[in-house]
Amino acid sequence: MVDKSDGPLPVMGPVLVGVIPGQRAAVVRRAAVLAAGLGVDLVCVHVDVSTYEETLPDGSRVLLPIDSDGDVSYVETTAEEMQTYLSEALNDCQVVWSFRTMAGEPARALSDAADSIGASMIVVGTREQGVIHALEEVLVGSVAVHLAHHQHRPVLIVPLDPRPFE
């Protein structure tokens, strides 16, 4: 549903935050504070770009590696590590939160997740500095920019390493 009115609508849906291994806790904590202040839940979503999702005949869904010879055990390990990280980061936050792992291109997967849960907004962090992160941005682009250009809901970008204008 796209809002075409001029007046503000009440916030009903949860806040969705994109999370990645090694991400600074500032992103998820900012999303948690925002969700708590709005009186909504927090949904933390990790997108694994090396997997795709398949629906089994019984209706359950499973993540499979893009490389058919690949080992998918790291998906479960990463999910467990992310759960531990989130538990620690959100330990003293007064918000109900959940975690899920999705597959595919990050901006599209976060958008799809936001649609499926009726999220009121999406929160993401900026990229860390460094050669690997710069190369990643060249190859896949900025998730924040993609979301900002293709979303009908607000996107909050939490700066991780702000630098003044020169």
Side-chain angles (χ1 to χ4, degrees):
M1 177 174 80
V2 177
D3 177 22
K4 296 184 180 187
S5 68
D6 289 333
L9 295 174
V11 174
M12 304 293 280
V15 170
L16 183 146
V17 60
V19 295
I20 58 174
Q23 181 179 46
R24 292 188 200 174
V27 177
V28 72
R29 291 184 61 80
R30 173 59 59 198
V33 167
L34 183 59
L38 294 169
V40 298
D41 293 349
L42 178 67
V43 178
C44 305
V45 177
H46 170 253
V47 181
D48 187 330
V49 298
S50 67
T51 60
Y52 68 97
E53 186 175 87
E54 186 163 309
T55 303
L56 301 177
D58 67 358
S60 62
R61 297 182 306 196
V62 63
L63 295 181
L64 299 171
I66 291 173
D67 176 5
S68 60
D69 296 331
D71 177 17
V72 77
S73 64
Y74 72 90
V75 173
E76 204 168 293
T77 302
T78 300
E80 290 169 3
E81 290 170 356
M82 292 300 300
Q83 286 272 19
T84 301
Y85 156 76
L86 291 167
S87 293
E88 291 170 3
L90 299 170
N91 184 39
D92 60 349
C93 295
Q94 300 300 314
V95 68
V96 175
W97 65 274
S98 61
F99 171 74
R100 66 174 66 173
T101 299
M102 297 188 70
E105 191 275 318
R108 183 174 302 274
L110 291 173
S111 181
D112 290 347
D115 287 343
S116 73
I117 64 170
S120 58
M121 68 179 57
I122 299 174
V123 178
V124 293
T126 57
R127 287 208 189 269
E128 299 278 347
Q129 298 302 309
V131 174
I132 291 175
H133 297 290
L135 178 61
E136 190 177 333
E137 188 157 333
V138 167
L139 294 175
V140 296
S142 166
V143 173
V145 170
H146 284 291
L147 286 170
H149 287 286
H150 299 284
Q151 261 309 299
H152 61 84
R153 63 184 44 87
V155 176
L156 174 65
I157 303 168
V158 178
L160 294 177
D161 189 17
R163 288 174 272 138
F165 288 108
E166 295 179 25

